[in-house]
C-alpha cells in the first residue's frame, strides 16, 4: 500500500511545472524502501566518482551514475566552466561526445571550440542547485557564447557569463544569433548519440525557417523554457547499458509547427485555464529521497 502511494506521488510529480529544466521520464522504483534521506544532499557532497564500471543508473531526472569520467578542465577545443561546481563529470560516451562536438565547433568562423557548462556530479544524482535532470551523466549544457579564448583561468571561468540569444521573451533570436549557432546545433542534433536538444522556442523556429536540405535533425531539437544562454544536449543510453532508462523519442516530424505554437503563446499568452474544482489537489514534486532512486544508487553512494 505504501509502495503504491509512493508510485502515485512520483507520477503526479511528472505534471508539476519545472520551468528550468526539460521534462524527463520518471521511473517507478521500489528499492531502498524506507530510506527517506534527501538524495541531493548526499550526492551533492560526493567529491569523486566511483571506480565501478561506467553505468547510467535510472532516468535522466531520477538516477545516478557509476564509473563517471572527468571532462578535462581544458582541452585543445574546449574549456569546462564554473569548475567550483565540480560538475564536469559524465559517462564516457558523453565526454567523448562533448569533445567531438568541440572539434566541430572549432571549424566554425569565430569559434575556437566550446565552453562547456554543467555535465553531472561525480556520482550523478540530484543536485543541491539548478537542474532537475543531469543525474545520470548523459546531459550536457553547451554555452551559446562562442569560445574564443581557451586559456581562461579558473577565476575567469567563474566570472565570465554566457550571453543570451533571445528577444521578446524567447519568441525570437536576437542579433547575437549567428549561422554558426545553427551549424553547431545542427551538428549536435545530427549525431546518432543524441536523444534530444533543448533550446528556447524562438531558436527552434529560426532554425526551422533557415534549414535547407535534410530536415530530420530538427526532430531532436525541442523548444523549452530557459535555454537561451546555453543549449542542452541529452544523449541516448549507451549501447548495452541495461540499467539506463531512455526517454521515449520525440514525436515524428520536424516539430516546427509545435515550436511555432510555443512562439504564438509567448506573443499572445492564452488566458489561464480555470481549475476544475473537482480535480484532485496538485501535489508538488517532493525532494527525491534515496528510496525514490534505483537501488544501485545506494551502492554508488557507499562505494569508495
Ligand atoms: Zn541542462
Amino acid at each position: 500500500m505504501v509502495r503504491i502511494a509512493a508510485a502515485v506521488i512520483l507520477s503526479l510529480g511528472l505534471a508539476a511545472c519545472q520551468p528550468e529544466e526539460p521534462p524527463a521520464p520518471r521511473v517507478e522504483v521500489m528499492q531502498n524502501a524506507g530510506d527517506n534521506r534527501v538524495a541531493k544532499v548526499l550526492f551533492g557532497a560526493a567529491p569523486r566518482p566511483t571506480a565501478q564500471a561506467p553505468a547510467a543508473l535510472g532516468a535522466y531526472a531520477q538516477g545516478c551514475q557509476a564509473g563517471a569520467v572527468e571532462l578535462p578542465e581544458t582541452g585543445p577545443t574546449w574549456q569546462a566552466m564554473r569548475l567550483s561546481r565540480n560538475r564536469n563529470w559524465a559517462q564516457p560516451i558523453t565526454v567523448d561526445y562533448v569533445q567531438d562536438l568541440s572539434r566541430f565547433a572549432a571549424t566554425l568562423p569565430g569559434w575556437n571550440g566550446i565552453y562547456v557548462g554543467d555535465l553531472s556530479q561525480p556520482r550523478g544524482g540530484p543536485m543541491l542547485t539548478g537542474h532537475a535532470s543531469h543525474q545520470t551523466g548523459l546531459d550536457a549544457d553547451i554555452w551559446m557564447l562562442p569560445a574564443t579564448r581557451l586559456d581562461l583561468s579558473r577565476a575567469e571561468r567563474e566570472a565570465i557569463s554566457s550571453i543570451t540569444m533571445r528577444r521578446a521573451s524567447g519568441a525570437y533570436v536576437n542579433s547575437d544569433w549567428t549561422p554558426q549557432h545553427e551549424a553547431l546545433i545542427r551538428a549536435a542534433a545530427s549525431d546518432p548519440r543524441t536523444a534530444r536538444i533543448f533550446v528556447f522556442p524562438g531558436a527552434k523556429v529560426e532554425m526551422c525557417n533557415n534549414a535547407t536540405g535534410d530536415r530530420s535533425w530538427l526532430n531532436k531539437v525541442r523548444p523549452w523554457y530557459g535555454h537561451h544562454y546555453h543549449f542542452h544536449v541529452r544523449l541516448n543510453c549507451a549501447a548495452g547499458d541495461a540499467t539506463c532508462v531512455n526517454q521515449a523519442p520525440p514525436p515524428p516530424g520536424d516539430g516546427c509547427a509545435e515550436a511555432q505554437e510555443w512562439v504564438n503563446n509567448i506573443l499572445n499568452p492564452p488566458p489561464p485555464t480555470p481549475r476544475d474544482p473537482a480535480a484532485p489537489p496538485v501535489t508538488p514534486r517532493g525532494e527525491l529521497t534515496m528510496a525514490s532512486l534505483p537501488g544501485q544508487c545506494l551502492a554508488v553512494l557507499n562505494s569508495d
Side-chain angles (χ1 to χ4, degrees), residues 43 49-57 64-69 90-92 121-124 135-137 241 243 296-297 299-300 303:
F43 281 97
T50 70
Q52 300 165 295
L57 298 159
C64 64
Q65 61 171 339
V69 294
Q91 290 295 291
Q121 299 177 136
R123 300 185 186 196
Q135 293 189 26
T136 53
D241 187 349
T243 57
Q296 300 96 324
C297 290
V300 165
S303 176

Side-chain angles (χ1 to χ4, degrees), residues 71-286:
L71 174 71
E73 294 177 2
T74 297
T77 47
W78 73 87
Q79 285 200 292
M81 307 301 279
R82 302 285 191 273
L83 296 171
S84 63
R85 298 192 196 196
N86 199 25
R87 292 176 180 173
N88 54 322
W89 300 87
Q91 290 295 291
I93 186 179
T94 309
V95 170
D96 288 347
Y97 174 95
V98 167
Q99 295 183 9
D100 290 346
L101 186 63
S102 77
R103 284 185 275 274
F104 173 78
T107 68
L108 299 170
W111 294 64
N112 291 322
I114 53 177
Y115 293 141
V116 182
D118 286 355
L119 304 180
S120 295
Q121 299 177 136
R123 300 185 186 196
M127 300 183 186
L128 286 165
T129 57
H131 313 273
S133 62
H134 289 253
Q135 293 189 26
T136 53
L138 295 173
D139 292 286
D141 288 344
I142 310 297
W143 281 24
M144 296 287 195
L145 177 69
T148 47
R149 280 182 55 200
L150 290 169
D151 61 350
L152 298 173
S153 68
R154 288 184 76 92
E156 285 173 314
R157 288 186 239 188
E158 298 296 326
I160 288 175
S161 291
S162 190
I163 51 172
T164 180
M165 293 284 121
R166 77 176 184 185
R167 66 182 172 87
S169 303
Y172 305 105
V173 298
N174 64 23
S175 58
D176 287 320
W177 182 261
T178 63
Q180 291 88 312
H181 288 94
E182 298 196 16
L184 183 60
I185 292 175
R186 179 176 182 146
S190 300
D191 192 301
R193 291 170 289 190
T194 300
R196 275 175 165 74
I197 288 175
F198 299 98
V199 73
F200 67 99
K204 166 93 191 225
V205 169
E206 180 76 7
M207 289 186 280
C208 285
N209 293 340
N210 294 341
T212 52
D214 174 27
R215 298 174 69 82
S216 60
W217 59 278
L218 285 164
N219 174 260
K220 293 183 186 173
V221 181
R222 312 296 298 163
W224 198 246
Y225 306 97
H227 296 89
H228 52 107
Y229 287 93
H230 69 262
F231 62 94
H232 175 143
V233 182
R234 172 168 295 164
L235 299 187
N236 293 306
C237 294
D241 187 349
T243 57
C244 180
V245 179
N246 270 312
Q247 188 170 2
D254 61 17
C256 290
E258 184 198 349
Q260 185 62 52
E261 253 174 66
W262 276 69
V263 166
N264 296 345
N265 286 336
I266 292 171
L267 297 173
N268 295 300
T273 332
R275 237 184 90 68
D276 176 357
V282 176
T283 312
R285 182 185 156 193

Side-chain angles (χ1 to χ4, degrees), residues 22-38:
R26 320 268 302 159
V27 286
E28 291 181 14
V29 182
M30 302 304 173
Q31 296 103 332
N32 310 338
D35 188 344
N36 290 321
R37 291 178 295 164
V38 176

